[in-house]
Amino acid sequence: MAATQEEILEGLAEIVNEIAGIPTEDVLLDKSFTDDLDVDSLSMVEVVVAAEERFDVKIPDDDVKNLKTVGDAVDYILKHQG
Amino acid sequence: MNSTNRTVVVTGVGATTPLGGDAPSTWEALLAGRSGVSLLDEEWAAELPVRIAAKIAVEPGTIIPRPQARKLDRSAQFALIAAREAWADAGFTAKAGEDASIDPDRLGAVVASGIGGVTTLLEQYDVMREKGVRKVSPHTVPMLMPNSPAANVSIALNARAGAHTPVSACASGAEAIGYAIEMIRTGRADVVVAGGTEASIHPLPIAAFGNMMAMSKNNDDPQGASRPFDVDRNGFVMGEGSGAIVLESAEHAAARGARVYAQAIGQGISADAHHITQPEPSGNGIGSALQNLVEHTGLNGAEIAHVNAHATSTPQGDLAELKALRKVFGDDVDHMAISATKSMTGHLLGGAGGVETVASVLALYHRMAPPTINLDTLDPEADADVVTGEARALPGEGPIVALNDSFGFGGHNVVLAFRTV
């Protein structure tokens, strides 16, 4: 069953917490991975791989650069999840 | 001021070793003659011919926050801990620039490792085989590259005068410190954080060193296995950890009122050009490094009161070092208190030169030479005064010099010299 927006946000928050140590409650839709959440380009690859596994979605490298905010990622996953 | 021949001093020390999580606890354990070696009781060690090692006393994960730690190889974690301790010990209160007493463009970082991020490489290979290519960490390359510890120390302290990583197997840590001395002596930097680090307690390196017949297989007596200069020595015991010092131009140290542990007089370097792993047995190769030191520093054998020997507890290597000292310094060797601290720390490979420089500098500062433990019967061919039993007081009056010897597979010989101030 496909995940809801809320479930995706919650899952991404847990992933970002694991990778960057940011408290889950600070991972909000309008936050920038790079500027607000201490996720640099290498760590973003880790976020993407973890999200792919968790939400059964493929996020090609070319699309990763468009995922600036948590909201961008949530929308992408909502649209592409299997 | 002659900018090409400046006086260099040591103003900070740091370490994380099998004996303690910092330099003071390590030094205390060295003086007390404690061994950091233990049995490897992990499942992965069950089939290894060597099941002993000197593991770090304080796990770096208890100090470095997990989000940062997971992007650093264990060797870089050790280096960062030792470098930060040395930095604070030198009296700096923040990274360069934020602490206005040091200009980032005049601060260098020289941190070496013998092997680099080998456990990262091997673990990620396991990940790739078990979970697939996509799961290989994007941090793998910056974690395994041998310059990673130097780069991370440079970033942490805002060191912009240069970050360097000389690699010469088990001489790497000493070569890093020698390089740093030159950076300051020749005017490239005013302050350099320098040292060595290693983290290779993993089945593959242990199997590989074990198959070279370089390691002690005294699994029944872990704490007695590392026994430099003893007639029953049969190879080294692998250790892990890091040691770092802050080197500084004497003028810079004086201008900010820094405490000075010792003067860094200089280094002597040679290469055996003999065999890829065996030391040149007559001591001529090591002797050339000692001769090189004398020629470049004007050092006199009579000044040398203490030698922190390389002495890894191998049958050939320990004797070659003593032969070289005798060849170059003659009867002066008789008044040198020789300590083999690897009897307690194990052999930290690329980290050894860093930790043993910390020990050498503290030996001068406190005028105490650590003991060599497990030395029950001195090898009859060991023609020198090896400190055994208890720590020994060094001459309390007048300037004295300590040497720190480090030699590496490949025939790399590096000798560092320090003097009391």
Side-chain angles (χ1 to χ4, degrees):
Chain A
M1 197 178 75
T4 64
Q5 189 199 43
E6 197 177 324
E7 286 166 343
I8 294 169
L9 176 60
E10 192 183 315
L12 281 175
E14 284 171 15
I15 290 167
V16 170
N17 172 259
E18 166 72 15
I19 288 166
I22 303 292
T24 52
E25 61 267 28
D26 293 348
V27 182
L28 303 169
L29 292 175
D30 62 342
K31 297 284 184 182
S32 155
F33 286 108
T34 311
D35 300 336
D36 302 323
L37 301 177
D38 204 21
V39 176
D40 64 13
S41 62
L42 296 184
S43 295
M44 190 63 196
V45 177
E46 288 188 287
V47 170
V48 163
V49 171
E52 285 183 335
E53 195 167 58
R54 184 154 180 158
F55 301 113
D56 188 24
V57 63
K58 280 272 165 273
I59 309 176
D61 289 353
D62 284 347
D63 290 345
V64 173
K65 62 178 183 299
N66 300 322
L67 308 181
K68 306 275 191 220
T69 66
V70 176
D72 294 340
V74 170
D75 291 346
Y76 189 96
I77 294 165
L78 261 180
K79 197 166 148 194
H80 293 89
Q81 62 186 334
Chain B
M1 183 189 78
N2 179 353
S3 68
T4 60
N5 197 16
R6 306 196 302 168
T7 301
V8 183
V9 295
V10 181
T11 54
V13 296
T16 183
T17 74
L19 300 177
D22 56 18
S25 59
T26 297
W27 176 243
E28 187 191 346
L30 286 173
L31 288 187
R34 284 205 287 276
S35 170
V37 182
S38 62
L39 190 69
L40 293 170
D41 49 13
E42 292 87 346
E43 199 180 328
W44 57 255
E47 299 300 315
L48 293 172
V50 173
R51 294 190 300 281
I52 49 176
K55 291 198 255 186
I56 201 84
V58 177
E59 274 297 321
T62 62
I63 297 164
I64 298 177
R66 196 178 130 73
Q68 186 185 10
R70 61 197 296 286
K71 294 192 267 190
L72 295 171
D73 182 78
R74 193 170 167 83
S75 62
Q77 295 177 21
F78 294 155
L80 210 49
I81 289 167
R84 282 183 171 148
E85 183 195 352
W87 186 247
D89 187 52
F92 295 109
T93 54
K95 63 184 181 180
E98 288 176 19
D99 181 328
S101 68
I102 173 66
D103 175 355
D105 292 331
R106 301 293 299 163
L107 172 65
V110 190
V111 186
S113 159
I115 315 181
V118 65
T119 58
T120 293
L121 177 65
L122 294 167
E123 283 165 9
Q124 291 301 316
Y125 185 57
D126 288 344
V127 167
M128 186 178 77
R129 293 204 301 177
E130 289 163 16
K131 298 178 180 167
V133 172
R134 185 70 170 156
K135 297 294 276 186
V136 172
S137 170
H139 303 291
T140 304
V141 170
M143 286 171 75
L144 72 82
M145 58 193 196
N147 54 310
S148 174
N152 278 290
V153 168
S154 155
I155 292 165
L157 302 178
N158 200 20
R160 301 201 307 224
H164 305 279
T165 305
V167 177
S168 49
C170 300
S172 301
E175 191 157 359
I177 290 165
Y179 192 99
I181 294 170
E182 286 303 292
M183 280 178 79
I184 298 171
R185 192 181 68 80
T186 57
R188 266 189 65 199
D190 292 327
V191 180
V192 180
V193 181
T197 187
E198 205 75 71
S200 59
I201 299 179
H202 175 287
L204 188 94
I206 293 175
F209 279 114
N211 287 349
M212 294 172 77
M213 297 183 293
M215 296 180 83
S216 172
K217 298 182 176 72
N218 288 1
N219 299 318
D220 296 337
D221 180 18
Q223 302 215 330
S226 183
R227 40 197 319 113
F229 301 123
D230 186 88
V231 72
D232 291 327
R233 68 192 183 281
N234 61 2
F236 77 86
V237 175
M238 189 184 287
E240 63 176 356
S242 176
I245 61 172
V246 172
L247 290 154
E248 191 162 358
S249 77
E251 305 98 295
H252 197 274
R256 66 182 188 92
R259 169 203 44 205
V260 173
Y261 282 106
Q263 180 192 352
I265 309 169
Q267 62 184 324
I269 289 185
S270 75
D272 280 355
H274 170 71
H275 185 275
I276 195 64
T277 56
Q278 289 165 16
E280 195 285 310
S282 72
N284 281 339
I286 296 168
S288 296
L290 292 167
Q291 199 60 51
N292 180 256
L293 174 75
V294 168
E295 284 162 14
H296 281 87
T297 61
L299 185 65
N300 183 326
E303 297 175 274
I304 303 168
H306 174 54
V307 179
N308 188 307
H310 182 64
T312 62
S313 185
T314 61
Q316 268 202 334
D318 293 11
L319 286 181
E321 182 173 7
L322 295 185
K323 285 178 192 166
L325 283 165
R326 186 63 74 179
K327 202 166 287 187
V328 175
F329 295 117
D331 291 344
D332 284 330
V333 174
D334 294 337
H335 58 75
M336 298 179 191
I338 295 176
S339 302
T341 49
K342 288 185 181 81
S343 61
M344 295 171 274
T345 61
H347 186 1
L348 275 66
L349 310 176
V355 170
E356 287 155 25
T357 291
V358 169
S360 305
V361 165
L362 291 177
L364 287 180
Y365 190 65
H366 298 292
R367 292 188 183 249
M368 288 291 288
T372 302
I373 68 167
N374 299 321
L375 182 47
D376 298 331
T377 309
L378 187 68
D379 186 319
E381 289 184 61
D383 178 22
D385 180 11
V386 182
V387 181
T388 183
E390 301 200 332
R392 185 193 298 174
L394 295 170
E397 298 292 321
I400 53 172
V401 167
L403 303 186
N404 173 22
D405 292 349
S406 289
F407 316 125
F409 280 168
H412 310 273
N413 306 309
V414 179
V415 181
L416 302 173
F418 301 89
R419 183 184 280 123
T420 50
V421 290

